[in-house]
Every structure is written in C-alpha cells, then in structure tokens.
C-alpha cells in the first residue's frame, strides 16, 4: 500500500528515486510523484503509473541530490493528480510522502481550517504536513522537534519521509505501523518501504521501529530519536537479497516467472530443514518453542487472503498428522472479536510480506494476551518477523507479482514440515508413514517441474474460457483450500467472478448457478473421497456445466466425463496441494493474459496491504 523512496547524498537523486518507484510499484499504482531540492524545492506528480511520471518530468528540471518519491494506492481521495504524493506544506518549502492512514485526520484538519489553512487535496497526508509546518512556525522550533510534536498528535499508521528547502542537507523519516528501511551508503542514505530499491546501492540497512524518527545527514551517522525524544541506537543489518530475483529474466510477467520458480522455492523452503538422510525435520527458527508446540492446547493460524488459504491447508495437515486442534482465522476478524485465548495456545501468523496491517494487529493482540506467537513469513526483516517470538522464513525469494503464487506454496511447505515435525516427536503417525511422507516431500520440487510442462495444454484450455462471467472451483479435504485459492487467483487477475467450494457443499446452493456457460474446475485427484468427487462431477455434467478436472496422472474415470483434464504427478494425498495449485495458477494466468488484463498490477489491488 503505497511505496516510498528517498535519497540524500552526492549522487543525482532522480534515477535512484525512479528505479526505486519501479521496484515498489507492486505496492500501489494509482499515481506517482517526486520532489527534489536543488536550491528550490520542486514537486512533480501525476495520476497513473511510474511510467506516466517519467513522461511527465521528461522536459523538466529534475536535478538535485536530495529527494523523495511515492507510488500510491489510494485511501483518502480518488486517484488523481491533486491527491498524488508528495504534498506541500502551506509555504511550499516542505514536501512529504506518506504510506498509511491517519485516522484522526478529520479533527486535525478541522482545527487547521479554523486557523485559516486551505487544502488542495482530500488526503490525510496534506493535513500532516500542514500540521508539521504550523507547529514549526508557531512554536518557533526546529523541524525535527516539529515532526515529533506533530506525530505525538497523530492516531493511525504512517511511514513518512520529509524534505525541507531550508534544510536541504537533511532527510527526516518516521514510522508507526507502516514499514520503512534506511540504507546506509558510504556518504549517503537511501530510504524505502522495503529493501528492494536499496539493495543495489548498499547492503547495510536499518529497519525503523514504531515511533522512531530517523534524521539522515550525509557525512554524519544515522541518528534515531523516538517521538518522545529518546535517543535510540541504530541496529545495522546486512541485506541478503539476490538482485536477479527482482528482474523478470525473460518472462513476460513476474507472475509467470514466480509460478515457474516454484520447484526451486519449495526446495529452498525445505533446505536445511528436511533431511532424507537422517530421516528428520528440524525447524531451527522455532526450535526454542518446540516443547510449546508439542504441548499446545490449540494452534490458531491467522492470516489474510492467499496466506489464509495456506492456513486452511495447514489446519488439515496439523490436525491430521499432529492431532492438535487448529483454528484458522482471518486476521481482520480475529483482532476485533475478542478471541478467547489460553496461555498454552500457540498463534501462528502467516504472511508473505510480513507487513499486512490486520495480521500485524492480530499478532499484537495475541502477544498482549500472553500467547506465544510464531510467524511464517517471506520477507526477511519485516515487521512480522520482528514482532513474533520466533518463526520460519519461507525463503521463496522476493515475490513481485501482486497475485501471490510461490509464497503460497512455500507457506504450505513450511506448514507440512511443521505438522510432520510435531507428528514425528509426538508419534502421532507411524514411522513408516512419516518416512514415506518425507520421501514424497523431497520429490515435490521435481514433480512441480513436471507439472509445469502442462503449461501449453493449460493455455489452450484457458483460451476456451476467456469470455465466461463466473466460475466455480471445487475440492475436498486438503484440496478444498486449493479450490478457494484457484478461485481467488482467477478473480484477482482476470476480474471473472469465481467461488471456491468444498465439492460436497455444491448441492447446498451453488448448483443453482450451473448452466451451459459455467466452467467448474474440480480437483479430483486420487484420495479417500475420490468417488464422491466423481459423483459431484456427474452432478455438474447433468446440468451441462463445463468440467475442467485436475486428476492424478493415469486417471481414466474422470476423463470419461470431464470436458478437459489436466493430470498432476502422483504423490501422497496430503501433499497434492503443492502440485495441484500450479495448474490453477497457470489457468488464471492464461485466462487473464488472453483477456488483456494487467497481470502483475491488477486493478485496485496492492501487494502489501498496510492499511486496514
Ligand atoms: C492474493 C494475495 C493477497 C495476499 C494478502 C495477504 O494473491 O496476494 O490475498 O495473500 O493480502 O498478504 P500477506 O501474505 O503479505 O500478508
């Protein structure tokens, strides 16, 4: 939700800002803007994407060695030129970029209006920069003090970066709720919403904590104060991001590249954890909490969107293998419904970005109640990784496409390992079954690679369904969440309405929707309920629905009745989600491509949802 970049040093700021915005565009693409100081403060902004901003500034003066930039996902005010960031202070001498929502902006704005200020935009951000300048002028204090005083009045979430014409040698940044990373160069500083715009310039970074304000002056050390004026010692970390992962590497879209990366990313999320040789699974990150996990009264998985679907798969696996009761909660609901939590519960938060506002709030709530909170997270150093008691990184590498793909299968891989690790220690599965699963799990990357060979076949099937208005996805057991995930992928990137349902529930309502126009994607792989799913397929066929069936290789029964059949390599039925997800991702991808949709930046979405 909104991407922020800032630079101060000896280099020209513009290329750094624009490259940074390109990297952060996944966070929002409603408008883009930048502000640079070169004697005077200049500000350029426009509705549209980063490329529109580049066109907009083509013949303008963009020189200067200090600047800030922003790519927006609209919260307050429609996406237009005026509401785009940065925003000016009343004098036009300061400019501010902001990610987050200032919840009390209305009352702050009223006060400022009463004092005679006028506003050009509908944003909460313009209110904040007005407030900062108002305090600075009226209290006759320096800008850092004014920022501190203003932020102490603010309720809500923010990551802000501010520049001031009168102090061109200083960049001020602050955060509460929304993420900010400072990159420390040789004699310059970079700042961004995540580390991807920074990594090509420096690997030394400081992740700001809530309530912290960074004062960045080239030639001096980074200085961090809190809003209440405590001096903090910066904790400098080394970035470990592979730059190549931030490029498309010949693929037309990041989404397709990331779908194809899954053989590797699943492997990476097992590396050093699952060993066939020793017949063991070790999750180093949660080792300290192993006893708690083994003795947990309940495990509560909290997440949003695709990560929530991974949680649902986890529920089946943890209950089936580890015999621990599991609840899966939308983080947004969990945080407001006063959940009953016991000290021997374990909350596990799942998030690709580690910045999803609702998930972070759910974690904070659980921690306040004294519950152990573990994280399953992809982004190293993210807020989730920092506020949980312990956790396992998914190691899927940066996921740039807004629709989550490889992060999902990596999350499921961690959950499988967790369920297996607990079941091994608690002896809730036989040694033989455990070892079989371990062997099968190790073969998943190769089977995913094999699955990807069906890409052309899936594209041909997809082309037959590009004009449909609705689609139904059915699955049972551990594949029911996969049906939901398949439906979500289709909705997100092709804008076709789709629902994922447990196959047996179809006759309790959704069957009314089925007619000759309706594609029904059914996961009908070999499992305990296979025959029942076949009956559901018959029920759809009887109503002339079009069946796209995902079956185990060699299946002959479903082939007789389905309109299209996609075979997945054989594996243990508990591990099928890791493979069956792939054809559903590809199906959505090809339908969306054929419909001419923007694959990596679907309308209205942003990858990192840092507002409620
Ligand atoms: C769907 C998707 C979203 C995210 C959700 C949670 O493709 O990407 O539904 O899964 O916004 O995001 P994270 O996992 O970053 O907490």
């Amino acid at each position: 939700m909104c991407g922020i970049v800032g630079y101060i040093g000896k280099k020209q700021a513009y290329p750094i800002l624009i490259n940074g915005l390109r990297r952060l565009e996944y966070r929002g693409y409603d408008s883009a803007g930048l502000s640079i100081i070169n004697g005077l403060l200049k500000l350029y902004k426009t509705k549209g994407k980063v490329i529109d901003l580049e066109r907009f500034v083509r013949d303008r003066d963009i020189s200067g060695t200090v600047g800030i930039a922003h790519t927006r996902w609209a919260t307050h005010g429609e996406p237009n030129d005026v509401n785009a960031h940065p925003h000016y202070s009343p004098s036009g001498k300061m400019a501010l970029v902001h990610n987050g929502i200032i919840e009390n902006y209305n009352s702050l704005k009223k006060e400022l209006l009463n004092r005679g200020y006028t506003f050009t935009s509908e944003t909460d951000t313009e209110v904040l920069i007005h407030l900062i300048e108002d305090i600075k002028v009226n209290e006759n204090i320096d800008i850092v003090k004014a920022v501190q005083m203003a932020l102490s009045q603010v309720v809500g979430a923010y990551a802000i970066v501010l520049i001031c014409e009168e102090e061109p040698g200083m960049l001020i940044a602050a955060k509460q709720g929304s993420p900010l990373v400072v990159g420390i160069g040789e004699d310059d500083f970079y700042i961004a919403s995540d580390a991807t715009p920074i990594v090509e310039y420096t690997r030394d970074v400081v992740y700001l904590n809530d309530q912290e304000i960074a004062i960045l002056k080239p030639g001096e050390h980074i200085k961090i104060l809190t809003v209440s004026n405590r001096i903090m010692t910066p904790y400098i970390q080394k970035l470990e991001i592979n730059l190549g992962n931030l490029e498309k590497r010949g693929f037309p879209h990041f989404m397709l590249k990331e779908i194809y990366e899954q053989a590797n990313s699943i492997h990476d999320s097992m590396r050093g954890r699952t060993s066939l040789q020793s017949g063991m699974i070790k999750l180093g990150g949660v080792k300290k909490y192993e006893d708690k996990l083994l003795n947990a009264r309940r495990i509560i998985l909290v997440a949003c969107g695709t990560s929530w679907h991974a949680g649902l798969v986890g529920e089946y696996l943890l209950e089936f293998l580890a015999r621990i009761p599991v609840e899966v909660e939308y983080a947004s609901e969990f945080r407001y419904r006063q959940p009953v939590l016991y000290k021997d519960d374990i909350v596990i938060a799942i998030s690709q970005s580690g910045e999803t506002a609702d998930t972070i709030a759910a974690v904070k709530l659980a921690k306040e109640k004294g519950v152990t909170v573990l994280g399953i997270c992809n982004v190293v150093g993210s807020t989730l990784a920092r506020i949980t008691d312990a956790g396992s990184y998914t190691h899927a590498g940066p996921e740039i496409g807004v629709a989550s793909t490889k992060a999902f299968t990596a999350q499921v891989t961690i959950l499988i390992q967790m369920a297996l690790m607990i079941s091994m220690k608690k002896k809730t599965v036989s040694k033989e079954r455990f070892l079989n699963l371990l062997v099968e799990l190790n073969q998943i990357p190769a089977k995913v690679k094999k699955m990807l060979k069906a890409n052309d076949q899936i594209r041909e099937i997809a082309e037959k369904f590009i004009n449909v208005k609705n689609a139904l996805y059915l699955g049972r057991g551990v594949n029911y969440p996969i049906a939901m995930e398949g439906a979500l992928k289709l909705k997100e990137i092709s804008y076709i309405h789709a629902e994922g349902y447990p196959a047996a529930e179809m006759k309790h309502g959704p069957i009314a929707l089925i007619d000759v126009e309706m594609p029904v994607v059914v996961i009908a792989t070999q499992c305990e309920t296979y025959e029942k799913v076949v009956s559901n397929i018959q029920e759809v066929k009887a109503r002339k629905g079009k069946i796209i069936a995902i079956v185990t290789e060699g299946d002959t029964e479903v082939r007789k009745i389905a309109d299209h059949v996609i075979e997945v390599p054989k594996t243990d039925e508990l591990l099928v989600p890791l493979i069956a997800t792939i054809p559903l991702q590809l199906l959505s991808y090809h339908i969306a491509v054929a419909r001419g949709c923007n694959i990596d930046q679907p309308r209205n979405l942003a990858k990192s949802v840092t507002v409620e």
Side-chain angles (χ1 to χ4, degrees):
M1 303 259 122
C2 300
I4 290 178
V5 197
Y7 174 76
I8 188 160
K10 292 192 176 141
K11 298 178 198 151
Q12 282 299 305
Y14 177 76
I16 295 166
L17 298 177
I18 279 291
N19 283 341
L21 287 187
R22 280 198 215 111
R23 292 234 197 277
L24 292 181
E25 205 166 16
Y26 73 87
R27 299 178 68 89
Y29 26 83
D30 290 331
S31 63
L34 56 86
S35 189
I36 293 181
I37 302 177
N38 188 6
L40 296 175
L41 186 145
K42 288 155 292 174
L43 194 154
Y44 309 110
K45 54 187 188 175
T46 180
K47 179 179 171 184
K49 304 198 170 192
V50 175
I51 191 153
D52 298 304
L53 178 64
E54 288 178 78
R55 278 191 210 112
F56 184 74
V57 300
R58 197 157 285 156
D59 298 317
R60 298 172 201 244
D61 178 12
I62 39 148
S63 56
T65 57
V66 51
I68 54 178
H70 189 269
T71 177
R72 178 169 188 246
W73 186 85
T75 56
H76 292 69
E78 69 172 275
N80 58 24
D81 295 352
V82 174
N83 289 331
H85 297 213
H87 287 279
Y88 272 130
S89 64
S91 70
K93 290 192 191 284
M94 288 188 214
L96 181 81
V97 286
H98 167 220
N99 164 211
I101 291 183
I102 294 168
E103 288 165 13
N104 60 338
Y105 88 105
N106 245 329
S107 57
L108 295 171
K109 187 171 184 175
K110 260 188 214 145
E111 249 177 67
L112 291 163
L113 283 168
N114 287 341
R115 294 223 286 280
Y117 288 106
T118 54
F119 295 87
T120 52
S121 78
E122 300 151 76
T123 64
D124 48 349
T125 309
E126 197 184 7
V127 174
L128 179 57
I129 187 66
H130 275 52
L131 180 65
I132 292 170
E133 190 170 273
D134 176 70
I135 292 173
K136 180 177 179 303
V137 172
N138 286 329
E139 304 283 328
N140 196 18
I141 50 179
D142 70 40
I143 184 168
V144 175
K145 284 246 147 26
V147 169
Q148 283 175 314
M149 282 180 72
L151 292 181
S152 66
Q153 295 181 37
V154 160
V155 178
Y158 55 78
I160 58 166
V161 189
L162 182 149
I163 51 175
C164 177
E165 190 180 287
E166 285 164 354
E167 298 209 43
M170 175 170 70
L171 204 84
I172 300 176
K175 87 146 229 144
Q176 170 68 40
S178 306
L180 264 190
V181 191
V182 178
I184 301 173
E186 265 177 35
D187 47 12
D188 52 5
F189 292 103
Y190 305 80
I191 189 145
S193 301
D194 71 31
T196 57
I198 296 174
V199 63
E200 62 196 272
Y201 307 108
T202 175
R203 297 211 165 238
D204 293 331
V205 293
V206 174
Y207 290 91
L208 292 187
N209 294 308
D210 282 353
Q211 295 281 303
E212 287 183 349
I213 302 172
I215 298 129
L216 308 173
K217 295 181 178 177
E220 292 183 18
H221 289 301
I222 176 176
K223 187 171 168 196
I224 300 183
L225 298 172
T226 64
V227 171
S228 55
N229 208 28
R230 263 194 315 138
I231 298 172
M232 307 301 284
T233 311
Y235 171 52
I236 301 175
Q237 303 185 44
K238 281 262 177 247
L239 280 179
E240 284 175 21
I241 297 179
N242 177 351
L243 254 181
N245 280 342
L246 305 176
E247 311 293 339
K248 285 193 204 139
R249 287 181 166 162
F251 283 91
H253 302 105
F254 277 110
M255 183 181 176
L256 188 63
K257 173 187 166 240
E258 288 158 6
I259 290 174
Y260 268 82
E261 279 173 349
Q262 286 174 108
N264 287 336
S265 51
I266 291 174
H267 183 256
D268 287 344
S269 56
M270 292 193 279
R271 197 197 297 274
R273 292 170 169 156
T274 291
S275 160
L276 262 188
Q277 258 175 345
S278 63
M280 298 279 278
I281 291 189
K282 286 188 191 149
L283 293 175
V286 296
K287 180 92 191 112
K288 206 172 135 201
Y289 292 89
E290 213 170 87
D291 280 347
K292 280 206 140 193
L293 265 174
L294 298 184
N295 297 308
R297 176 197 290 232
R298 279 186 311 176
I299 293 179
I300 300 159
L301 300 168
V302 293
C304 301
T306 287
S307 299
W308 182 77
H309 293 154
L312 289 178
V313 179
E315 178 181 27
Y316 278 92
L317 296 166
L318 284 159
E319 291 202 337
F320 193 88
L321 294 169
R323 309 305 300 152
I324 299 175
V326 176
E327 284 172 27
V328 188
E329 298 260 4
Y330 281 119
S332 53
E333 290 300 314
F334 179 82
R335 63 183 288 195
Y336 285 116
R337 67 170 187 77
Q338 309 215 357
V340 177
L341 294 172
Y342 303 102
K343 295 266 186 270
D344 49 356
D345 285 339
I346 293 212
V347 167
I348 304 180
I350 310 170
S351 172
Q352 187 286 129
S353 61
E355 301 296 349
T356 301
D358 285 320
T359 308
I360 299 299
V363 168
K364 288 184 178 161
L365 175 79
K367 288 192 77 175
E368 273 163 31
K369 305 248 178 210
V371 176
T372 300
V373 185
L374 307 179
I376 297 178
C377 177
N378 196 36
V379 177
V380 177
S382 58
T383 303
L384 183 75
R386 285 180 288 133
I387 65 172
T388 42
D389 294 306
S392 294
Y393 281 120
T394 43
H395 295 311
E399 191 180 65
I400 313 283
V402 164
S404 187
T405 53
K406 64 175 180 173
F408 173 73
T409 44
Q411 289 164 347
V412 172
T413 308
I414 298 290
L415 287 160
I416 289 173
Q417 292 176 99
M418 197 174 269
L420 278 171
M421 186 269 285
I422 300 172
S423 69
M424 173 185 76
K425 303 238 156 150
K426 284 182 76 170
K427 300 196 180 2
T428 45
V429 290
S430 69
K431 187 131 199 208
E432 193 191 355
R433 176 92 160 103
F434 173 81
L435 288 174
N436 275 343
L437 276 161
L438 211 61
V439 171
E440 281 297 329
L441 188 56
N442 271 271
Q443 288 174 3
I444 291 290
K447 290 183 181 174
V448 165
K449 221 175 239 167
K450 190 170 172 199
M451 184 71 252
L452 288 163
K453 296 209 170 101
N455 183 43
D456 289 344
Q457 184 213 354
I458 294 169
R459 183 177 34 228
E460 281 168 26
I461 297 173
E463 278 160 9
K464 299 190 167 48
F465 293 97
I466 61 174
N467 293 319
V468 300
K469 301 251 179 316
N470 297 289
L472 191 59
Y473 285 68
L474 301 176
R476 281 199 83 154
V478 80
N479 289 318
Y480 153 50
I482 302 307
M484 293 172 84
E485 174 58 10
L488 179 63
K489 288 287 92 87
L490 188 70
K491 279 188 262 218
E492 276 181 298
I493 59 166
S494 72
Y495 318 138
I496 294 171
H497 172 246
E499 296 297 338
Y501 251 82
E505 275 295 299
M506 180 184 65
K507 54 189 169 297
H508 299 289
I511 198 163
L513 294 168
I514 294 171
D515 62 14
V516 69
E517 307 276 310
M518 180 79 148
V520 182
V521 181
V522 188
I523 305 165
T525 47
Q526 292 296 334
C527 63
E528 206 190 330
T529 50
Y530 171 75
E531 292 301 340
K532 297 186 193 310
V533 176
V534 173
S535 301
N536 297 138
I537 295 178
Q538 298 281 18
E539 288 155 13
V540 174
K541 271 325 286 179
R543 284 145 188 98
K544 300 197 166 39
K546 296 274 175 296
I547 296 283
I548 304 168
I550 313 295
V551 299
T552 308
E553 60 189 348
D555 183 289
T556 49
E557 204 172 332
V558 173
R559 193 172 283 280
K560 288 184 214 143
I561 36 176
D563 298 273
H564 305 279
V565 164
I566 302 167
E567 289 194 341
V568 300
K570 202 168 173 19
T571 184
D572 188 288
E573 68 178 275
L574 290 181
L575 306 182
V576 169
L578 287 173
I579 313 181
T581 304
I582 314 284
L584 303 191
Q585 293 169 344
L586 286 169
L587 191 66
S588 313
Y589 172 80
H590 289 301
I591 291 177
V593 170
R595 284 164 69 90
C597 299
N598 188 332
I599 302 295
D600 287 330
Q601 295 173 346
R603 73 180 177 209
N604 303 339
L605 291 176
K607 189 149 189 73
S608 192
V609 186
T610 54
V611 295
E612 275 195 52

